Amino acid sequence: MLSEAESELAISSPSEKKRRGAAGRARRFRRVLPYIEVGALVVALVLPFVLGDRTDLVTLATNVLILSMLAISFDLCWGLAGIMSFGQALFFGVAGYAIALVGRDLDFSDIWGTLPLAMLVGLCLSGLFAAFLLLGRTTPSIIFVAFGTLTGSYAAERLVSGWQYVGAGNGLSSVKLLKLGAYEFVEGDTFYFLALGLLLLVYLAARYFKRSQLGLVLAGMRQNEERLAFLGYRVQLFKALLFSFAGLVAGLGGALYSYHQGFIGPGNMGPGLSTTAVIYCLLGGSGTLIGPVFGTATVEVLSYALSDIDAIRHIWPVVLGLVLLLVVMFQPRGIVGLFVSDRERIGSYGRRRSSS
């Protein structure tokens, strides 16, 4: 055993100081993300009261909350499991069509039945894709999964565009209002807080996944998938489970979008919206869960503001694209990555041992 003097000398060595300094910085950084989450929740709770009579901005904020579910569903795939999915809009749109058809053909739009139905549709459809793309005999590549989901999204969009039963290219409009008993959720503060409550539940569930033992396995897969497979973990099965859960989240978002907009169309399940979800996530910061929410808010608010400027009314998508490109080039970890360390983004697991 080292004497007291030798211990002090070891602690005072440059390498030891560097190690302790890095550990101290990691501990400080680890506490940033909860503050960001709490701050975002506080802003979301007071926002409708601040906006007051600006119903257009309340509608925009509600749309941000709903699309954030789509963005989080992609972050679950890419940020947690390394699955590059270009098909999240497929689960989003199919669930939206499902509840719209149930309302039109069965005259049913109660919240206790339609939202679980939308989640089930998203879960089952993503489960089928997971079985085909992830659970084959050979380990699929990122490109194979990306093109597989992209093809499914594109094929579904083209199919719906020519199917008269679901409105073909015009989509389904006049979607029945979401109801709770005799109460109807209309566009405004009530629908905003409903979307906020459901987004909070989704976020907490995703956060639980990330910090659970399943999250530990997923973190290990992102670092060294081959090593985990060598240790006996069924890596693709874990990916399939998370991919299916992400489809459930996207399905819930699709149902809320259909009810809020009163419309669902082919574009809501195509590659365009799927790519937009990727942009939401990467701009905000993948792997953080809260990052996609910031990314969604940034893109949607900028789109709303730029499209209202007469001087750039016809070229605002180009301006928005340039802004996003600059952010991705100079800050590849996204907006939240400015404040959150890589170690915190990956996460810490297990129970801390108290130092003696």
Side-chain angles (χ1 to χ4, degrees):
M1 295 180 64
L2 294 174
S3 66
E4 184 177 350
E6 290 173 330
S7 298
E8 291 179 357
L9 181 61
I11 292 174
S12 62
S13 64
S15 60
E16 181 66 17
K17 285 182 177 180
K18 185 177 180 181
R19 186 185 66 80
R20 287 175 174 258
R25 287 193 297 272
R27 282 194 295 270
R28 287 196 296 272
F29 280 127
R30 200 176 299 136
R31 299 181 63 84
V32 172
L33 194 54
Y35 289 115
I36 295 176
E37 294 170 336
V38 172
L41 178 59
V42 171
V43 171
L45 289 172
V46 302
L47 188 60
F49 305 105
V50 174
L51 296 177
D53 296 332
R54 291 295 305 272
T55 55
D56 58 328
L57 295 182
V58 174
T59 299
L60 173 64
T62 308
N63 205 40
V64 167
L65 296 177
I66 295 171
L67 291 174
S68 293
M69 296 186 190
L70 177 63
I72 288 175
S73 75
F74 174 76
D75 195 28
L76 287 168
C77 295
W78 176 246
L80 270 66
I83 304 170
M84 178 54 72
S85 171
F86 280 101
Q88 295 309 110
L90 172 62
F91 316 128
F92 183 90
V94 169
Y97 267 99
I99 62 98
L101 290 172
V102 167
R104 186 192 68 179
D105 297 344
L106 303 180
D107 194 29
F108 181 79
S109 62
D110 284 349
I111 189 172
W112 59 264
T114 54
L115 294 189
L117 172 63
M119 290 188 289
L120 181 62
V121 169
L123 177 67
C124 293
L125 185 58
S126 58
L128 288 175
F129 269 79
F132 176 74
L133 296 174
L134 299 173
L135 299 180
R137 291 181 178 273
T138 58
T139 301
S141 65
I142 293 178
I143 299 299
F144 175 77
V145 176
F147 274 98
T149 52
L150 179 65
T151 301
S153 182
Y154 176 77
E157 181 184 27
R158 302 308 303 166
L159 174 64
V160 170
S161 297
W163 192 3
Q164 291 297 328
Y165 175 71
V166 294
N170 296 321
L172 291 174
S173 56
S174 302
V175 177
K176 289 180 66 66
L177 293 174
L178 181 64
K179 296 193 300 183
L180 178 60
Y183 182 81
E184 294 181 333
F185 291 91
V186 296
E187 187 178 272
D189 291 351
T190 305
F191 207 110
Y192 174 89
F193 282 110
L194 172 66
L196 178 60
L198 292 174
L199 175 61
L200 182 59
L201 290 176
V202 165
Y203 187 85
L204 291 175
R207 198 171 186 272
Y208 173 78
F209 264 108
K210 182 179 178 181
R211 296 186 62 85
S212 67
Q213 291 298 317
L214 174 59
L216 177 60
V217 175
L218 296 173
M221 289 192 312
R222 293 197 305 275
Q223 298 299 312
N224 195 322
E225 183 174 321
E226 291 77 11
R227 180 174 296 177
L228 276 189
F230 177 77
L231 292 175
Y233 286 93
R234 299 184 63 182
V235 172
Q236 298 308 314
L237 179 60
F238 283 107
K239 285 188 175 183
L241 291 174
L242 192 69
F243 187 78
S244 300
F245 175 69
L248 179 150
V249 172
L252 175 60
L256 289 176
Y257 182 88
S258 183
Y259 282 127
H260 183 247
Q261 299 293 324
F263 169 82
I264 192 76
N268 299 127
M269 64 170 58
L273 185 57
S274 293
T275 305
T276 304
V278 176
I279 294 173
Y280 290 155
C281 181
L282 298 183
L283 177 65
S286 64
T288 61
L289 296 179
I290 192 63
V293 180
F294 280 95
T296 304
T298 301
V299 173
E300 293 302 313
V301 170
L302 281 177
S303 300
Y304 182 85
L306 293 175
S307 63
D308 205 36
I309 301 175
D310 293 333
I312 59 173
R313 185 180 298 274
H314 300 293
I315 61 170
W316 71 264
V318 178
V319 176
L320 176 62
L322 291 175
V323 172
L324 300 180
L325 180 61
L326 289 174
V327 172
V328 173
M329 285 177 59
F330 294 101
Q331 182 54 36
R333 292 189 301 171
I335 298 172
V336 176
L338 289 169
F339 313 100
V340 177
S341 67
D342 286 337
R343 181 172 181 179
E344 183 178 9
R345 189 163 56 86
I346 294 173
S348 57
Y349 305 87
R351 183 176 300 175
R352 295 179 181 275
R353 292 184 179 180
S354 58
S355 58
S356 54

